[in-house]
């Protein structure tokens, strides 16, 4: 079996939610058994568009989320981006390998620029964050990066930089990476919006209390035309069914429920009661584990992982400096 | 008397020439007596548009030029940009403080982009080099930067970044800088072109042999209509007079020569003979000093200065990290 290096991570701008659980955490729990996995808390990347207090306050929260869902510090290396300055130097060097036009054409960034209404005041750091991502990915010599569909252009950008580097300075220092496409679709918000997100307040947080989960489930957007229990209802776009699809283990029963709902005679209340039970059962052990974790231990795990990761990044940087001819004192 | 910190430097892309001598080296020899002067060999900046072999081969040549003209390692701190990685991290953080539009409007960079025909393939690193300069200037807490007229926009760019930093993250970590405008005009090339430059091959190099100097002086562009000694000649744009203006100490005699030349009756040969003598007298002791210098000593001076400068840059970076809130492990 191919045993490779995997890099993945999150911007620490809030606690993680069910969207992260379904979209990336579950697969990381598998990946850590098969590969050498690095999980990066991307605080520098978050700095390109977020407030530093928010970021600082969420670093250990995200660590707790990781450990409480079952990521294992003996199998996964956790690292804090800002504590590895080698990543910023790599970014600096890679900036000579990418044109402004190429950065401006990056579809992911273009889309984000529109969302943030940055058109007239685009921070240079934001435009260049794909270069910083290329630095992160290559620094740890990653073979694989798990991504959603919308992140594929970032992997392409990285590989272009690697190829430009190799053609300009020779190969061997850094290598191209493969995307692992996420199996699950992006989880929608409880309000039916396309994306569950901390900032939109439409996500079920992994550390929500039992009462918060219940409230959010019973607030969920269903079919607005399904008014009486006897009415036929829509399954498509119905948040309760989307969440059952993602988290309910009994797929056979779920198919029956869908048929029943479409025909009429199945009420939202009964469905939400089921989903509530499913999510309570899923999150209870995560919450319990989370409550047993303390800040000092989390900081220690992150510190140790960061030190280990820094050695790798530093080694890559040395190779890069040598290759591009910046090694006057042989540092 | 105000005793401040001065930062200045050169891209190590060739040996220094008389243009550097008149335009910056002479004033640095004065500045080192009055201020705390840092002279940076800007190899990272040179990497944005030059070949690394060329750069590496010229670092010690430039050091020899510095020492041979009278810069004193006891008064001036010499440093190699690439050996201070803190400068790249500062650049990274400052990228969030400057918009793409602002970088694209920088007149110095705009001009260089045109000269290099970069319009359609502008490397991001080249567009962002003013941010890197801001990092250099602020890292050493410089009060003063000697510049030519064409470099004033770079100082403005730096001060804008400092002000943006202060308004976003509070003041105290970094400070604004003042430009010291160069007293001498830019020295023209021996071919009459606007700029004496290593790459154009129209400069008298500080380490040229006596024969090379003589050859270059006698090759100098004068007044093409001044054919016979008796003809009246043009002083304006006449390279020999421009160089006499810059390097001949006897200003009274020079005025007489100009009047004589304009009237007619003064030949180019006599003038060039005089200029040759002036330049031989100027460069002979520099060349002699240069021949007594060896690579190991130069490397040692540069290493020691770089270590001293790195402490200062590292201290600034700590303050910057604290101010922007990137200090999770208190590194």
């Amino acid at each position: 079996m191919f045993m490779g290096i995997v890099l993945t991570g999150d911007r620490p701008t809030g606690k993680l939610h069910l969207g992260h659980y379904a979209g990336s955490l579950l697969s990381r729990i598998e990946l850590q058994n098969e590969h050498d996995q690095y999980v990066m808390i991307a605080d520098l990347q978050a700095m390109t568009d977020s407030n530093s207090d928010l970021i600082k306050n969420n670093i250990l929260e995200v660590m707790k989320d990781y450990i409480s869902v079952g990521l294992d510090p003996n199998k996964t290396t956790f690292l804090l981006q800002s504590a590895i300055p080698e990543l910023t130097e790599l970014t600096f060097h890679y900036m000579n390998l990418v044109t402004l036009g190429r950065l401006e054409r990056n579809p992911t960034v273009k889309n984000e620029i529109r969302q943030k209404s940055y058109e007239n005041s685009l921070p240079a750091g934001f435009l260049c964050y794909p270069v910083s991502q290329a630095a992160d990915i290559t620094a740890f010599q990653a073979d694989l990066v798990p991504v959603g569909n919308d992140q594929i252009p970032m992997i392409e950008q990285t590989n272009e930089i690697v190829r430009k580097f190799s053609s300009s300075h020779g190969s061997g220092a850094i290598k191209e990476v493969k995307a692992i496409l996420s199996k699950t679709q992006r989880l929608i918000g409880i309000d039916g919006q396309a994306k569950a997100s901390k900032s939109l307040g439409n996500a079920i947080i992994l550390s929500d209390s039992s009462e918060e989960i219940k409230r959010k489930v019973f607030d969920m957007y269903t079919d607005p035309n399904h008014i009486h229990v006897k009415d036929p209802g829509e399954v498509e776009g119905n948040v309760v069914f989307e969440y059952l699809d993602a988290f309910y283990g009994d797929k056979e029963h779920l198919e029956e429920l869908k048929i029943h709902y479409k025909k009429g005679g199945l009420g939202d209340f009964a469905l939400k009661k089921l989903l509530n039970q499913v999510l309570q059962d899923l999150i209870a052990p995560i919450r319990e584990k989370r409550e047993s974790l303390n800040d000092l231990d989390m900081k220690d795990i992150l510190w140790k992982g960061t030190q280990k990761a820094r050695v790798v990044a530093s080694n890559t940087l040395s190779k890069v400096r040598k290759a591009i001819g910046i090694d006057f004192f042989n540092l």
Side-chain angles (χ1 to χ4, degrees), chain A residues 223 225-238 241 245 253-268 271:
Chain A
D223 175 359
N225 299 316
H226 181 252
I227 298 167
H228 304 101
V229 173
K230 65 172 171 41
D231 296 340
E234 274 286 349
V235 164
E236 200 72 20
N238 186 317
F241 278 108
D245 269 333
H253 184 215
L254 180 55
E255 280 316 301
E256 289 167 20
L257 291 173
K258 285 182 183 174
I259 292 165
H260 193 173
Y261 193 81
K262 285 190 223 176
K263 208 172 60 190
L266 178 56
D268 283 355
L271 269 181

Side-chain angles (χ1 to χ4, degrees), chain A residues 63-71 285-287 289-290 293:
Chain A
M63 273 304 298
K64 285 182 185 171
D65 290 331
Y66 289 156
I67 303 298
S68 58
V69 298
L71 287 173
I286 297 175
R287 187 193 307 115
K289 177 82 192 265
R290 206 177 195 284
L293 302 173

Side-chain angles (χ1 to χ4, degrees), chain A residues 248-317:
Chain A
Y248 187 36
D250 190 341
K251 299 299 173 201
E252 210 172 306
H253 184 215
L254 180 55
E255 280 316 301
E256 289 167 20
L257 291 173
K258 285 182 183 174
I259 292 165
H260 193 173
Y261 193 81
K262 285 190 223 176
K263 208 172 60 190
L266 178 56
D268 283 355
F269 183 82
L271 269 181
K272 285 182 171 176
K273 216 176 136 187
L274 171 65
L275 177 60
N276 179 51
Q277 198 50 54
V278 168
L279 296 185
Q280 297 289 354
D281 290 350
L282 174 73
I283 294 181
I286 297 175
R287 187 193 307 115
E288 202 176 319
K289 177 82 192 265
R290 206 177 195 284
E291 279 160 8
S292 76
L293 302 173
N294 71 65
D295 285 3
L296 265 180
D297 287 344
M298 294 304 101
K299 202 164 180 174
D300 192 56
I301 291 171
L302 186 57
W303 170 254
K304 282 185 182 137
T306 302
Q307 295 319 297
K308 183 187 149 193
R310 190 171 179 187
V311 173
V312 180
S314 174
N315 188 27
T316 300
L317 177 60

Side-chain angles (χ1 to χ4, degrees), chain A residues 86 89 93 313-331:
Chain A
E86 286 78 4
E89 182 174 345
H93 297 315
S314 174
N315 188 27
T316 300
L317 177 60
S318 293
K319 286 188 203 164
V320 164
R321 288 175 69 103
K322 209 166 203 76
I324 65 180
I326 292 278
D327 60 342
F328 187 73
F329 290 122
N330 272 310
L331 289 178

